[in-house]
Amino acid sequence: MLTGLDRVPSTVIAVVLGAVLLIGLSAPPVRAAEQPESSAPTTASAVSPLEQALIEIKSEEAAVRSAAAALLIEQGDASLIPTLDAIRAEADRATRQAIKPVIDLLKNHANLTSAQSDTRRSAAADLVGTGRPEAIIWLEEAAAKEPVWWVKYTMDESAQLIRLRADEPAVRLVAVKKLGELRSQNSVSALKEFVEAAAQSGATEEQRVLADAAQAAINQIDAWGWWASSIETLFRGISLSSILLIMSLGLAIVFGLMGVINMAHGELMMVGAYATFVTQQAFVAWVSPEHFDWYFPVALPVAFLAAALFGWVLEATVIRFLYGRLLETLLATWGVSLILMQAARVYFGDLTAVIAPQALRGGVQVMVGVYLPFNRIFIILLSIVCVLGIYFLLFRSNLGVRVRAVTQNRNMSACLGIPTRKVDSYTFAFASGLAGIAGWALTMVGNVDPGLGQNYIVDAFMVVVTGGVGKLAGTIWASLGIGGLNKLIEPVSGAVYGKVFILVGVILFLQWRPQGLFAAKGRNADA
């Protein structure tokens, strides 16, 4: 039986098969997108979100740039800073404005873990200005690991200051109470804004509650600020007293021993200050920078010897011929002081500066609102060392016995074989050297100028006459009293009127007790 295929001629079948084969060869290849999922994976690598953000931050659309910046802040770190700097260098103004806060935030975030405590604290303070919520997390994480309490305090304070800008009233309320507990002076202006907002008409209950908490926090901060201000005033008074004490020690010895009113004592202090400046310049010129800070201890003997040499020459050429003539010594030494001031102005100019060594820069924060500079602490310690040194020199050495003997009875001392002229000369040189040490120390708290000694000479004389001429204990107590009262009166009346009030007080005190706190002995008492 024949099928349908058998009835088709073989030539027709061959033609159909050939056509099918041609159609299959001419068909286009299947595209990759039409291949099934089981086909081989593509070779193109996926772009990370940070890389995409680095691309989009250069976009012309502000919304795209803002979104990219937010992603970089949230997920980025300091390793992106070089790339961002390179992009910013070639970008337009809008892109630069978008990149700058990102760089600042990433830098501060990295600085929160710096090895330097000052850098960590500065970074925490800078993050407040950003107001970014991400900074709160960074600050809290850094504060949990912070070993230095005053740096930790700044981190806690900064986190709460950022929370004051939160939208949720409950978050702001907690931040206000926390800032009050921290006694944060930096938050007072923001807290006052809450109080003023609640005083406006139409204020909500939430604003009034927040204002009450803000007012309570302000009261806490103000009460603590009064105590902090009192402690700082006391410290400044002790610091000024230390400066007066160092300067007055030599003046008291000279006045008590020889009865000489040395108006050039302040200029001898200026000599010590300029000797310190010259030593610094020598280190700059001839010593490597890593050893620069050694100029300060080297300048101590230089300042002492320079001032002592000037004092020895002054005693040998002027004062030796004027013993017992107070008015003549006053006028003669005042003339010498004018000559020294003008010589310093001609040679050094009106103003020079001494760079403090690294160890005396900065300070220590002992409590909230109380910051004690290292240079002031150094001067206080130096005054203690000077007092102890003079005590042992005068009361525990053979030279001190001779000095006290001449002070009490010059004629009897001369009869016993003590060379009174040499004692006068050496003692005046030593007292002048003490003034040089005072000038060496003063370079740490101010500039060096020809009128440096004039700022302290009057106060130093008041210390000497108030404490009792030639009395070490009286000099100590008088310097503490005059220096402390000076700093106590200044905030109320100003610096000029403060000195006037001190001078009037000293005059009234001397009317009541002409011999000072401690009575003088020797020829000055008999005169």
Side-chain angles (χ1 to χ4, degrees):
M1 182 177 180
L2 295 173
T3 64
L5 183 60
D6 295 333
R7 293 193 294 269
V8 178
S10 58
T11 57
V12 175
I13 294 174
V15 172
V16 172
L17 291 175
V20 171
L21 181 60
L22 289 173
I23 292 172
L25 293 174
S26 61
V30 180
R31 289 174 297 178
E34 297 173 348
Q35 292 180 358
E37 294 180 0
S38 59
S39 61
T42 62
T43 58
S45 60
V47 178
S48 68
L50 288 177
E51 292 175 343
Q52 186 65 29
L54 290 173
I55 297 173
E56 293 179 350
I57 202 168
K58 297 181 288 185
S59 173
E60 296 181 356
E61 299 181 11
V64 175
R65 289 197 304 269
S66 299
L71 181 63
L72 291 171
I73 293 171
E74 182 180 354
Q75 300 184 12
D77 53 33
S79 63
L80 297 177
I81 293 177
T83 304
L84 290 170
D85 283 332
I87 295 174
R88 188 183 177 202
E90 301 178 356
D92 56 12
R93 183 172 180 272
T95 303
R96 291 197 302 270
Q97 289 178 338
I99 291 176
K100 186 180 184 304
V102 177
I103 294 175
D104 293 341
L105 277 165
L106 294 180
K107 284 182 179 179
N108 286 324
H109 187 193
N111 287 337
L112 289 176
T113 57
S114 171
Q116 301 294 327
S117 59
D118 289 339
T119 303
R120 298 196 300 271
R121 190 182 188 191
S122 178
D126 290 343
L127 285 172
V128 177
T130 65
R132 301 284 305 189
E134 299 89 349
I136 298 176
I137 301 174
W138 301 344
L139 291 166
E140 290 178 342
E141 291 176 350
K145 304 174 184 178
E146 180 56 51
V148 182
W149 78 265
W150 55 278
V151 179
K152 183 179 185 300
Y153 170 86
T154 303
M155 292 175 176
D156 292 336
E157 179 190 43
S158 298
Q160 302 306 325
L161 288 172
I162 296 175
R163 282 197 173 97
L164 287 181
R165 308 175 189 178
D167 296 330
E168 299 81 2
V171 175
R172 295 201 300 269
L173 183 61
V174 173
V176 166
K177 294 180 179 179
K178 183 64 176 177
L179 289 169
E181 295 173 0
L182 292 173
R183 274 68 173 176
S184 170
Q185 289 288 344
N186 294 325
S187 66
V188 172
S189 58
L191 295 175
K192 287 182 178 179
E193 291 179 2
F194 291 144
V195 176
E196 294 172 358
Q200 301 295 327
S201 59
T204 64
E205 182 64 24
E206 291 178 345
Q207 288 179 314
R208 286 190 286 270
V209 171
L210 188 61
D212 292 339
Q215 187 60 56
I218 291 173
N219 294 337
Q220 285 180 297
I221 295 169
D222 289 342
W224 180 260
W226 184 87
W227 285 104
S229 177
S230 300
I231 294 172
E232 285 198 333
T233 300
L234 177 62
F235 176 77
R236 289 196 299 269
I238 295 174
S239 175
L240 177 59
S241 300
S242 300
I243 295 172
L244 293 177
L245 178 58
I246 297 172
M247 186 174 180
S248 302
L249 285 173
L251 197 61
I253 293 173
V254 170
F255 198 9
L257 176 64
M258 293 174 284
V260 173
I261 300 177
N262 183 15
M263 291 299 294
H265 197 75
E267 279 57 53
L268 294 173
M269 183 177 70
M270 177 197 71
V271 169
Y274 276 114
T276 305
F277 172 74
V278 171
T279 305
Q280 172 194 264
Q281 297 304 106
F283 267 68
V284 170
W286 298 321
V287 179
S288 59
E290 58 268 19
H291 298 126
F292 172 76
D293 284 350
W294 284 101
Y295 88 87
F296 193 63
V298 171
L300 173 59
V302 174
F304 177 85
L305 293 175
L309 178 61
F310 269 84
W312 182 79
V313 173
L314 177 62
E315 194 277 337
T317 56
V318 178
I319 294 176
R320 175 168 296 184
F321 306 102
L322 300 175
Y323 285 137
R325 298 155 64 183
L326 292 179
L327 182 59
E328 284 83 350
T329 58
L330 186 151
L331 293 175
T333 54
W334 181 53
V336 171
S337 71
L338 295 178
I339 294 172
L340 290 176
M341 279 194 295
Q342 189 60 31
R345 183 171 287 109
V346 170
Y347 188 80
F348 293 101
D350 287 330
L351 189 65
T352 54
V354 174
I355 302 173
Q358 189 66 38
L360 296 182
R361 299 174 192 173
V364 57
Q365 187 162 357
V366 295
M367 59 182 66
V368 178
V370 179
Y371 183 81
L372 306 182
F374 287 139
N375 54 1
R376 297 282 183 176
I377 296 175
F378 169 77
I379 290 176
I380 293 173
L381 296 177
L382 177 65
S383 67
I384 296 174
V385 172
C386 289
V387 169
L388 294 176
I390 292 175
Y391 172 79
F392 281 104
L393 179 66
L394 292 180
F395 298 97
R396 293 294 184 270
S397 69
N398 292 330
L399 177 61
V401 172
R402 295 184 179 187
V403 170
R404 288 186 290 120
V406 174
T407 301
Q408 294 177 14
N409 194 321
R410 174 180 292 270
N411 293 330
M412 182 62 72
S413 300
C415 293
L416 293 174
I418 297 176
T420 56
R421 286 296 188 186
K422 287 186 177 180
V423 171
D424 288 341
S425 179
Y426 296 155
T427 304
F428 195 92
F430 176 74
S432 302
L434 288 177
I437 292 178
W440 170 74
L442 277 176
T443 58
M444 296 297 99
V445 297
N447 294 320
V448 181
D449 62 85
L452 177 66
Q454 296 298 312
N455 298 328
Y456 297 96
I457 186 64
V458 175
D459 289 342
F461 268 111
M462 286 194 296
V463 167
V464 171
V465 298
T466 303
V469 177
K471 304 301 294 183
L472 181 61
T475 303
I476 296 172
W477 285 108
S479 62
L480 287 173
I482 291 177
L485 286 174
N486 218 322
K487 290 302 179 182
L488 187 64
I489 296 174
E490 273 185 10
V492 179
S493 61
V496 176
Y497 285 106
K499 289 186 178 295
V500 172
F501 291 145
I502 293 294
L503 179 59
V504 172
V506 168
I507 293 173
L508 294 177
F509 173 79
L510 293 177
Q511 291 296 318
W512 169 64
R513 193 176 178 86
Q515 294 180 327
L517 291 172
F518 295 85
K521 297 180 181 180
R523 73 175 190 276
N524 287 332
D526 298 334

